[in-house]
Amino acid sequence: MHLTINLKCRKFEIWAFSLSSLFLVCYILKFTLALIILNKEIETSRGMLYPRESETREVRTLDGIWNFVRSDETNPTQGIRDGWFKDDLSKSMPTIPMPVPASYNDITTEQTLRDHVGTVWYDRKFFVPRSWGQDQRVWLRFGSVHYEAYVWINGRSAVKHEMGHLPFETEVTHLLKYGAENRITVMCDNALIQTTVPQGKISEVANDEGVTIIQSYTFDFFNYAGIHRSVHLYTTPKTFIEEVEVKTNLSQNNSVGTVDYSITVNGTAANEAENTLLARLQIYNREGVQVANVTSDSKLVGSLQVDNVKPWWPYLMHSDPGYLYELEIRLYAAKEQLLDVYRLKVGIRTLSWTNTTFLINGKPIYFRGFGRHEDADVRGRGLDNALMARDFNLLKWIGANAYRTSHYPYSEESMQFADQHGIMIIDECPSVDTENFNQVLLDRHKSSLEQLVHRDRNHPSVVMWSIANEPRTGQVNADTYFQFVANYTRSLDSTRPITAAIAVPSNDDKAGRHLDIISFNRYNAWYSNTGRLDMVTQRVISEATGWNKKYDKPVLMSEYGADTLEGLHLQPAFVWSEEFQTEVFSRHFKAFDALRRQKWFIGEFVWNFADFKTAQTYTRVGGNKKGVFTRARQPKAAAHLLRQRYFALGREVDQCNVPNDLFTYIADVGGSNVKHDSADL
């Protein structure tokens, strides 16, 4: 009997072991499958030229006051099921007025709207002139809606788009009523999950009334939502210029410029073999004088040569920075029939890079700039031309030559401003704090970059693509994931280097080998060794050197700084005071100057240009206060120190002139070394 019991126990042990082994195998299989990421094809964008009027095109805006409804968080699809898009929103739910463009979060005094998670609805009415229905096409274009948008015209589905901060458009010729009133309805969903770009999490949490929906995310800026940029209706001919891609080059000691072009046409005539199309292209200088012209072949691909060219130079590198030509394209059918006209600005410049240097027009660049946010009181992330103009005035006042579009693509209008003012841009996609790498996320990440490159490829100000901010590049499959992302970006545009702002230690990183430029974020004396000003300089030098030794590539510091409450003064310097921010900057400056002598260190970017809003947390007093300017765009003490440094660097590196008011007069002390005016630089 004892033997029988032992046999039964043995059988049970074998069975239990087999079952546990099966569970283990299943877990390993599941984990392994999660690590398998395939490099799938991504659907590419079409069109998306910025709306411009011409002899053949008309443009009107739908910006203004729209009607607005907030959905029930527990029932986000109610509007779809109940057909709110079939009639005026006011007939389904009470509406409130809402400005477009703007984030909706801070417009009212309601906490429920500020913190809303899920869908909201907009609608408005507009007239389309009778003439628009005659022998032309009509297009609807959104500058951006965050995060996901569904659009109806007169109750009929027009377009769906996923990805905030980027434009989308659709033809609505067949949906409009001409010479009559029309209605546009938009449903916007701000929910972020683990497969959106950026990522987030949705959860139900108990509250005093039962449960509430909570949106959480790891990135440190407020998840503003709504129709953030302008909405346009525009017309094109039946056959029209759909896409234009330009690439520029310089030769003969920068005296001759070349503009290579490729034109894509859409329309009936373009699809008829017997109807040969051609384009006549002219380039005009700033004074309106034609400096180059060419007639294309039927492939609509070719180049123009500009003699005695004026290259596009960054701010402070030349007495006339940001020089732009106008490229005029006239599309013709057989028998000289003019079909379409489109114009765009072109800056003629070259980019190149080695394992130690980044060059523009053959001259080495030292970046002096900022990380920024599109953020302002009341309007949130909504397009604001007055604020944009103020920001560029401040960038030039402080002597910056660059900024990164942290952590998403900025408005097309700001890109045009950067072209015009000679401000270099590291153009960043919306991938921030990327983790839990998986196939769906990879496909969306690549799609965000495809849309970004497609939109911004013709801007001379864009000198680098940033494929992520602070991704978790120490994770197991980060290597494969970022290999696919980086190589895909290169396939879209090989003329610009690729970077990513990395926050993991260099020893843990698995993505840097796929980049062209190494960018790293670190907050010495703030998040690391808080308050210890004696633990900054050598740590910055050591970390930057470590990155260079590991990858043998140019290195820049893409974020450093300290939160500062304007008006708080403490001596000796103490965290949150203006004195402390100034001291943190000064200790970093010493490190940067030591690194500049190593040649492979190519830039410094303060975090942040201006204070900005974040999610509520006890570590944030009204938002992130690391700006050198307040949220109202007024300077803190550190802004004046940074201005002196940036212009000093400009004078040393680029031989620029410095402003007369850079230093405040102190005293005439004869032959002493007291510095009191710009001549002391």
Side-chain angles (χ1 to χ4, degrees):
M1 183 174 178
H2 178 70
L3 178 62
T4 303
I5 292 173
N6 282 343
L7 285 173
K8 288 182 178 179
C9 289
R10 184 65 177 165
K11 288 180 181 178
F12 177 78
E13 288 172 0
I14 294 171
W15 176 83
F17 176 77
S18 300
L19 187 61
S20 62
S21 299
L22 180 62
F23 284 143
L24 179 62
V25 169
C26 289
Y27 175 79
I28 293 173
L29 181 61
K30 180 180 179 181
F31 181 73
T32 303
L33 289 173
L35 294 179
I36 296 175
I37 300 176
L38 303 176
N39 199 19
K40 295 183 177 179
E41 291 293 321
I42 300 298
E43 182 179 353
T44 56
S45 307
R46 292 182 59 113
M48 230 63 69
L49 289 174
Y50 189 79
R52 302 184 189 279
E53 291 186 321
S54 73
E55 296 87 331
T56 58
R57 296 172 177 234
E58 294 182 65
V59 180
R60 66 166 295 189
T61 178
L62 295 182
D63 294 355
I65 300 297
W66 291 44
N67 307 303
F68 181 86
V69 170
R70 175 178 60 87
S71 300
D72 183 347
E73 285 188 342
T74 63
N75 194 7
T77 60
Q78 177 187 358
I80 298 287
R81 294 195 312 274
D82 293 351
W84 291 359
F85 53 86
K86 295 178 181 178
D87 208 334
D88 297 352
L89 281 176
S90 60
K91 294 183 179 179
S92 298
M93 297 285 286
T95 64
I96 62 171
M98 184 61 63
V100 171
S103 302
Y104 60 72
N105 307 81
D106 293 342
I107 299 299
T108 74
T109 59
E110 300 298 323
Q111 177 182 338
T112 52
L113 183 57
R114 183 195 67 198
D115 300 333
H116 177 69
V117 181
T119 58
V120 298
W121 291 73
Y122 295 78
D123 83 352
R124 66 157 291 174
K125 292 183 177 179
F126 60 95
F127 277 87
V128 176
R130 189 178 295 111
S131 61
W132 280 23
Q134 300 171 5
D135 201 33
Q136 56 187 343
R137 302 166 73 170
V138 184
W139 303 79
L140 172 67
R141 189 182 194 274
F142 288 80
S144 80
V145 178
H146 188 71
Y147 168 75
E148 188 171 22
Y150 296 77
V151 183
W152 295 264
I153 297 290
N154 297 322
R156 298 168 63 188
S157 178
V159 65
K160 172 187 177 296
H161 181 259
E162 177 184 353
M163 200 68 65
H165 318 292
L166 288 161
F168 59 97
E169 68 180 11
T170 189
E171 184 174 3
V172 293
T173 309
H174 59 295
L175 299 176
L176 294 172
K177 295 181 286 188
Y178 298 93
E181 190 175 61
N182 294 263
R183 183 183 66 257
I184 180 172
T185 309
V186 179
M187 186 185 77
C188 165
D189 188 353
N190 71 346
L192 301 177
I193 58 176
Q194 286 295 283
T195 53
T196 57
V197 181
Q199 294 169 292
K201 293 180 181 179
I202 302 289
S203 56
E204 288 189 356
V205 179
N207 66 1
D208 293 344
E209 282 74 42
V211 296
T212 188
I213 306 296
I214 298 293
Q215 169 78 79
S216 59
Y217 41 85
T218 60
F219 53 82
D220 189 31
F221 55 93
F222 193 81
N223 187 36
Y224 278 118
I227 303 177
H228 280 159
R229 297 173 192 156
S230 291
V231 185
H232 288 105
L233 281 173
Y234 71 94
T235 67
T236 65
K238 293 287 189 181
T239 300
F240 66 100
I241 299 164
E242 184 177 41
E243 294 184 21
V244 180
E245 182 176 5
V246 298
K247 295 180 180 179
T248 66
N249 205 349
L250 293 166
S251 61
Q252 299 183 35
N253 198 28
N254 291 344
S255 65
V256 176
T258 303
V259 178
D260 297 325
Y261 66 87
S262 174
I263 301 168
T264 303
V265 173
N266 184 326
T268 306
N271 299 323
E272 294 177 0
E274 67 274 10
N275 198 342
T276 302
L277 301 178
L278 59 87
R280 291 202 172 92
L281 298 90
Q282 294 87 30
I283 294 180
Y284 296 90
N285 66 15
R286 191 180 287 166
E287 288 71 40
V289 177
Q290 185 184 110
V291 295
N293 69 87
V294 71
T295 299
S296 76
D297 58 18
S298 60
K299 295 180 180 179
L300 304 178
V301 175
S303 64
L304 298 96
Q305 179 174 303
V306 181
D307 297 322
N308 301 313
V309 68
K310 294 185 177 181
W312 187 94
W313 286 103
Y315 178 55
L316 299 181
M317 285 189 73
H318 192 272
S319 59
D320 192 7
Y323 193 93
L324 297 175
Y325 292 89
E326 182 176 76
L327 174 61
E328 178 185 280
I329 305 170
R330 292 177 174 266
L331 180 68
Y332 289 89
K335 300 180 181 179
E336 296 294 310
Q337 178 191 1
L338 178 64
L339 297 177
D340 194 15
V341 181
Y342 189 81
R343 298 176 177 89
L344 72 155
K345 298 293 185 180
V346 174
I348 301 176
R349 56 105 177 104
T350 62
L351 299 178
S352 58
W353 59 96
T354 68
N355 65 336
T356 60
T357 312
F358 179 89
L359 305 100
I360 187 163
N361 304 335
K363 185 175 180 179
I365 288 288
Y366 187 75
F367 291 97
R368 338 182 258 282
F370 295 94
R372 296 181 58 205
H373 270 297
E374 286 189 326
D375 172 277
D377 196 21
V378 181
R379 83 274 295 164
R381 201 151 287 127
L383 174 65
D384 184 329
N385 289 323
L387 185 73
M388 179 176 66
R390 171 71 174 177
D391 284 354
F392 274 86
N393 273 276
L394 291 174
L395 285 166
K396 296 176 77 171
W397 173 84
I398 209 168
N401 65 5
Y403 66 83
R404 177 167 58 110
T405 66
S406 43
H407 299 299
Y408 40 80
Y410 289 5
S411 71
E412 292 161 283
E413 292 78 7
S414 71
M415 309 301 286
Q416 295 161 13
F417 245 57
D419 292 342
Q420 179 183 344
H421 290 278
I423 302 297
M424 294 179 288
I425 291 178
I426 299 177
D427 210 356
E428 190 161 271
C429 77
S431 176
V432 54
D433 292 2
T434 318
E435 60 183 352
N436 299 330
F437 307 114
N438 59 74
Q439 187 68 55
V440 176
L441 180 67
L442 174 63
D443 294 345
R444 287 177 176 161
H445 193 163
K446 289 165 62 178
S447 177
S448 75
L449 280 158
E450 191 280 328
Q451 294 178 57
L452 174 63
V453 173
H454 187 92
R455 189 195 76 167
D456 290 346
R457 61 193 176 187
N458 292 334
H459 288 288
S461 58
V462 176
V463 299
M464 207 178 303
W465 303 114
S466 175
I467 60 176
N469 177 74
E470 298 190 355
R472 311 315 192 213
T473 57
Q475 291 186 7
V476 175
N477 51 349
D479 187 352
T480 301
Y481 184 93
F482 282 100
Q483 178 185 14
F484 288 158
V485 173
N487 288 344
Y488 179 69
T489 307
R490 285 190 188 91
S491 74
L492 299 170
D493 177 24
S494 61
T495 68
R496 296 174 174 92
I498 294 168
T499 191
I502 301 175
V504 305
S506 59
N507 289 337
D508 299 334
D509 174 69
K510 296 179 175 65
R513 70 190 189 96
H514 305 298
L515 308 176
D516 301 306
I517 309 290
I518 302 298
S519 304
F520 73 98
N521 300 347
R522 191 70 62 226
Y523 291 89
N524 292 290
W526 191 254
Y527 298 127
S528 301
N529 305 307
T530 306
R532 295 305 303 254
L533 293 168
D534 59 340
M535 297 182 181
V536 175
T537 304
Q538 289 304 319
R539 281 171 167 77
V540 173
I541 293 172
S542 177
E543 180 165 13
T545 303
W547 283 108
N548 178 257
K549 284 184 176 179
K550 181 172 183 177
Y551 291 119
D552 191 26
K553 295 175 181 179
V555 177
L556 61 84
M557 193 167 193
S558 41
E559 290 185 23
Y560 72 95
D563 280 88
T564 306
L565 187 63
E566 69 272 18
L568 178 63
H569 294 280
L570 296 171
Q571 189 64 34
F574 202 77
V575 292
W576 288 94
S577 70
E578 296 205 37
E579 287 78 8
F580 185 78
Q581 186 181 40
T582 298
E583 285 289 339
V584 167
F585 281 19
S586 178
R587 306 304 171 101
H588 280 83
F589 296 165
K590 289 181 182 179
F592 298 152
D593 285 346
L595 289 166
R596 286 195 300 126
R597 291 191 285 271
Q598 304 302 316
K599 304 303 182 184
W600 45 259
F601 189 78
I602 63 170
E604 54 194 74
F605 288 76
V606 171
W607 187 263
N608 190 281
F609 175 75
D611 295 345
F612 57 92
K613 186 168 182 171
T614 64
Q616 296 187 77
T617 170
Y618 55 83
T619 62
R620 294 281 176 256
V621 184
N624 189 305
K625 300 294 186 180
K626 292 187 181 67
V628 302
F629 298 102
T630 67
R631 205 178 188 206
R633 273 41 177 197
Q634 297 301 329
K636 301 177 188 177
H640 298 280
L641 177 71
L642 189 65
R643 185 178 187 231
Q644 291 168 359
R645 174 169 177 81
Y646 279 179
F647 273 106
L649 289 172
R651 182 156 180 166
E652 176 195 336
V653 176
D654 301 320
Q655 295 77 52
C656 74
N657 295 322
V658 298
N660 293 328
D661 65 344
L662 189 62
F663 291 95
T664 302
Y665 181 88
I666 300 173
D668 186 353
V669 290
S672 76
N673 291 324
V674 174
K675 290 179 169 52
H676 56 80
D677 63 33
S678 60
D680 292 305
L681 284 174

